[in-house]
Amino acid sequence: MTNLIVREDTAVEPAVAPTFTSNAIELRGIVKTYGSEVALHELDLDIRDGEFFCLLGPSGCGKTTTLNIIGGFVGTTGGTVRIAGEDVTKKSPNRRPVNTVFQSYALFPHLTVIENVAFGLRMARVSKAERTRRAQDALDLVGLGAFSSRPVAKLSGGQAQRVAVARALVNKPKVLLLDEPLGALDLKLRKRLQTELSIIQRQVGTTFVFVTHDQEEAMALADRIAILNEGRIEQMGTPEEIYRTPRTRFVAEFIGESNILNGRRVGTEFELENGARVPIAATASADTTALVVRPESLRIDADGFLDAEIVSRAYLGSITRVVLKLAGSEQLVVSTISDHALEHLDESTLEIGRRVRVSWSLKAAHPIAEH
Ligand code: ATP
């Protein structure tokens, strides 16, 4: 919509309307090549204001390159980068409203915790009283309020990473970029910091863009996830959307465990490679080439529609994982049974070598169409 300014002399002219955007970041047609290698292929990506967004994918898929392009540490070969509505494609990192937390904490070892956090404010010539107050607030936010005068050399890995987060948030950036920030920590600490980061992000409301190759971490943290594969976005959505309705075989395999059953649609049914026919949703495309059934949806029951044999079984505490071989094929499928459901099963049902039948509900079989 064009805004009109009415001057005193009654001349009317259009004003430049501020671009209202609820997107913190907009990438359009981003291409990045290194010599003859294409790291990103015309990537389009919108990250909303205030969301916790994860870039997820295997090593070399282009996550860090995407993050570095947003931060301005790496130039683009083509395309535009907008942050908070402003085209920053040609701007240097320090002129973008963005801060970054790296896996290596990159703290100044000769400074104390609070001096590290206040460092950027000092460079920006913020008064001493003001920078101490803001740095202390940032440290309180990450739960290190009592550590301000400690030398950073005397911090644990988890504490150092919290200081790095406080330092990155102290000047209130619009966007915080985090490149595998928990990658160097052991699993238990990593999980604790995931919870803390998620609480901090909700408290400050800053847009977080978080790079990880760990799908569980992305699922635990993200409002939305983009899954990258070889420089392209395979799928973008909430953790639930991606888990329940993977669009491609790659996504189904990358997120969680999947039973991928190849075959073809025949009328109202789906014919598996072993010739057995199973139900398929009426809305599934005629080009469906596979059904994805999650292990928790694969049921072992006497009324099932597929014959199978139990190959192995492992009690894992909250679930029991059962591997089965489908009759007439070499395909193995996995069924997980909750501990609660296990209590109601006759033990002999899960004997190794036992022939059983399996099934799933129609809505638990997600169709994938490939061309
Ligand atoms: P990882 O999880 O291993 O860090 P990633 O998904 O972050 O991987 P990128 O680091 O973005 O992947 O790399 C994407 C592709 O670009 C890779 O094939 C990589 O080899 C290539 N690449 C990245 N940086 C450079 C560079 N400076 N020079 C040449 N090739 C590069």
Side-chain angles (χ1 to χ4, degrees), residues 131-162:
R131 62 180 194 254
T132 304
R133 187 184 59 76
R134 282 168 59 181
Q136 190 60 49
D137 284 351
L139 282 170
D140 288 343
L141 183 73
V142 300
L144 288 180
F147 287 70
S148 54
S149 55
R150 186 176 283 206
V152 291
K154 294 193 176 162
L155 295 176
S156 69
Q159 289 165 338
Q161 198 52 294
R162 287 194 197 97

Coordinates of all heavy atoms in Angstrom, one line a residue, residues 131-162:
R131 N 27.4 -0.3 30.8 CA 27.8 -1.6 30.3 C 27.9 -2.7 31.4 O 27.6 -3.8 31.2 CB 29.1 -1.6 29.5 CG 30.3 -1.1 30.1 CD 31.5 -1.1 29.1 NE 32.7 -0.9 29.8 CZ 33.5 0.2 29.8 NH1 33.1 1.3 29.1 NH2 34.6 0.2 30.4
T132 N 28.2 -2.2 32.6 CA 28.2 -3.2 33.8 C 26.8 -3.7 34.0 O 26.6 -4.9 34.3 CB 28.8 -2.5 35.0 OG1 30.1 -2.0 34.7 CG2 29.0 -3.5 36.2
R133 N 25.9 -2.7 34.0 CA 24.5 -3.1 34.3 C 24.0 -4.1 33.2 O 23.4 -5.2 33.6 CB 23.6 -1.9 34.3 CG 22.2 -2.1 34.8 CD 21.3 -0.9 34.7 NE 21.2 -0.3 33.4 CZ 20.5 -0.8 32.4 NH1 19.8 -1.9 32.6 NH2 20.5 -0.2 31.2
R134 N 24.3 -3.8 32.0 CA 23.7 -4.6 30.9 C 24.4 -6.0 30.9 O 23.8 -7.0 30.6 CB 23.8 -3.9 29.5 CG 22.7 -2.9 29.4 CD 22.9 -1.9 28.3 NE 22.9 -2.6 27.0 CZ 23.1 -2.0 25.8 NH1 23.2 -0.6 25.8 NH2 23.2 -2.6 24.7
A135 N 25.7 -6.0 31.1 CA 26.5 -7.3 31.1 C 26.0 -8.1 32.3 O 25.8 -9.4 32.1 CB 28.0 -7.0 31.2
Q136 N 25.7 -7.5 33.4 CA 25.3 -8.3 34.6 C 23.9 -8.9 34.3 O 23.6 -10.0 34.6 CB 25.2 -7.4 35.8 CG 25.0 -8.1 37.1 CD 26.1 -9.2 37.5 OE1 27.3 -8.9 37.4 NE2 25.7 -10.4 37.8
D137 N 23.0 -8.1 33.6 CA 21.7 -8.6 33.3 C 21.8 -9.8 32.4 O 21.1 -10.8 32.5 CB 20.9 -7.5 32.5 CG 20.3 -6.4 33.5 OD1 20.4 -6.6 34.7 OD2 19.8 -5.4 33.0
A138 N 22.7 -9.7 31.4 CA 22.9 -10.8 30.4 C 23.4 -12.0 31.1 O 23.0 -13.2 30.9 CB 23.9 -10.4 29.3
L139 N 24.3 -11.8 32.1 CA 24.8 -13.0 32.9 C 23.8 -13.6 33.8 O 23.7 -14.8 33.9 CB 26.0 -12.5 33.8 CG 27.3 -12.4 33.0 CD1 28.4 -11.7 33.8 CD2 27.8 -13.7 32.5
D140 N 22.9 -12.7 34.3 CA 21.8 -13.3 35.1 C 20.9 -14.1 34.2 O 20.4 -15.2 34.6 CB 20.9 -12.1 35.7 CG 21.7 -11.4 36.9 OD1 22.6 -12.0 37.4 OD2 21.3 -10.3 37.2
L141 N 20.7 -13.7 33.0 CA 19.8 -14.4 32.1 C 20.3 -15.8 31.8 O 19.6 -16.7 31.7 CB 19.8 -13.6 30.7 CG 18.9 -14.1 29.6 CD1 17.5 -13.8 30.0 CD2 19.3 -13.4 28.3
V142 N 21.7 -15.9 31.7 CA 22.2 -17.3 31.4 C 22.6 -18.0 32.7 O 23.2 -19.1 32.7 CB 23.4 -17.2 30.5 CG1 23.0 -16.6 29.1 CG2 24.6 -16.5 31.1
G143 N 22.2 -17.5 33.9 CA 22.4 -18.2 35.1 C 23.8 -18.1 35.7 O 24.2 -18.9 36.5
L144 N 24.5 -17.1 35.2 CA 25.9 -16.9 35.7 C 26.1 -15.6 36.4 O 27.3 -15.1 36.4 CB 26.9 -17.1 34.5 CG 27.1 -18.4 33.9 CD1 28.1 -18.4 32.7 CD2 27.5 -19.5 34.9
G145 N 25.1 -15.1 37.0 CA 25.2 -13.8 37.7 C 26.2 -13.8 38.8 O 26.9 -12.8 39.0
A146 N 26.5 -15.0 39.4 CA 27.5 -15.0 40.5 C 28.9 -15.2 40.0 O 29.8 -15.3 40.8 CB 27.1 -16.1 41.5
F147 N 29.1 -15.3 38.7 CA 30.4 -15.6 38.2 C 31.1 -14.5 37.5 O 32.2 -14.6 36.9 CB 30.3 -16.8 37.1 CG 30.0 -18.1 37.7 CD1 28.8 -18.4 38.3 CD2 31.0 -19.1 37.7 CE1 28.5 -19.6 38.8 CE2 30.7 -20.4 38.2 CZ 29.4 -20.6 38.8
S148 N 30.6 -13.2 37.7 CA 31.1 -12.1 36.9 C 32.6 -11.9 37.0 O 33.2 -11.5 36.0 CB 30.3 -10.9 37.1 OG 30.3 -10.6 38.5
S149 N 33.1 -12.0 38.2 CA 34.6 -11.6 38.3 C 35.5 -12.8 38.1 O 36.7 -12.7 38.3 CB 34.8 -11.0 39.7 OG 34.3 -11.9 40.7
R150 N 35.0 -14.0 37.7 CA 35.9 -15.1 37.5 C 36.6 -15.0 36.2 O 36.0 -14.6 35.2 CB 35.0 -16.4 37.6 CG 35.8 -17.7 37.5 CD 35.0 -18.9 37.6 NE 34.5 -19.1 39.0 CZ 34.2 -20.3 39.4 NH1 34.3 -21.4 38.6 NH2 33.7 -20.5 40.6
P151 N 37.9 -15.4 36.2 CA 38.6 -15.5 34.9 C 38.0 -16.5 34.0 O 37.6 -17.6 34.5 CB 40.0 -15.8 35.3 CG 40.1 -15.7 36.8 CD 38.7 -15.8 37.3
V152 N 37.8 -16.3 32.7 CA 37.1 -17.3 31.9 C 37.9 -18.6 31.8 O 37.3 -19.6 31.5 CB 36.8 -16.8 30.5 CG1 35.8 -15.7 30.5 CG2 38.0 -16.4 29.7
A153 N 39.2 -18.5 32.0 CA 40.0 -19.8 32.0 C 39.6 -20.8 33.0 O 39.8 -21.9 32.9 CB 41.5 -19.4 32.2
K154 N 38.9 -20.3 34.1 CA 38.4 -21.2 35.2 C 37.0 -21.6 35.0 O 36.3 -21.8 36.0 CB 38.7 -20.5 36.5 CG 40.2 -20.3 36.8 CD 40.5 -19.9 38.2 CE 42.0 -19.9 38.4 NZ 42.3 -19.1 39.6
L155 N 36.5 -21.6 33.8 CA 35.1 -22.0 33.6 C 35.0 -23.4 33.0 O 36.0 -23.8 32.3 CB 34.4 -21.1 32.7 CG 34.2 -19.6 33.1 CD1 33.6 -18.8 32.0 CD2 33.3 -19.5 34.4
S156 N 33.9 -24.1 33.3 CA 33.7 -25.4 32.6 C 33.2 -25.1 31.1 O 32.9 -23.9 30.8 CB 32.7 -26.2 33.3 OG 31.4 -25.6 33.1
G157 N 33.2 -26.1 30.3 CA 32.8 -25.9 28.9 C 31.4 -25.3 28.8 O 31.1 -24.4 28.0
G158 N 30.5 -25.9 29.7 CA 29.1 -25.4 29.6 C 29.0 -24.0 30.1 O 28.2 -23.2 29.5
Q159 N 29.8 -23.6 31.1 CA 29.7 -22.2 31.6 C 30.3 -21.3 30.5 O 29.8 -20.2 30.3 CB 30.5 -22.1 32.9 CG 29.9 -22.8 34.1 CD 30.8 -23.0 35.3 OE1 32.0 -23.0 35.1 NE2 30.3 -23.1 36.4
A160 N 31.4 -21.7 29.9 CA 32.0 -20.9 28.9 C 31.0 -20.6 27.7 O 30.9 -19.5 27.2 CB 33.3 -21.5 28.3
Q161 N 30.2 -21.6 27.4 CA 29.3 -21.4 26.3 C 28.2 -20.5 26.7 O 27.7 -19.7 25.9 CB 28.8 -22.8 25.8 CG 28.1 -22.8 24.4 CD 29.0 -22.1 23.3 OE1 29.3 -20.9 23.4 NE2 29.4 -22.9 22.4
R162 N 27.8 -20.5 28.0 CA 26.8 -19.6 28.5 C 27.3 -18.2 28.4 O 26.5 -17.3 28.1 CB 26.4 -19.9 29.9 CG 25.5 -21.2 30.1 CD 24.9 -21.2 31.4 NE 24.4 -22.5 31.7 CZ 25.1 -23.4 32.4 NH1 26.3 -23.2 32.9 NH2 24.6 -24.6 32.7

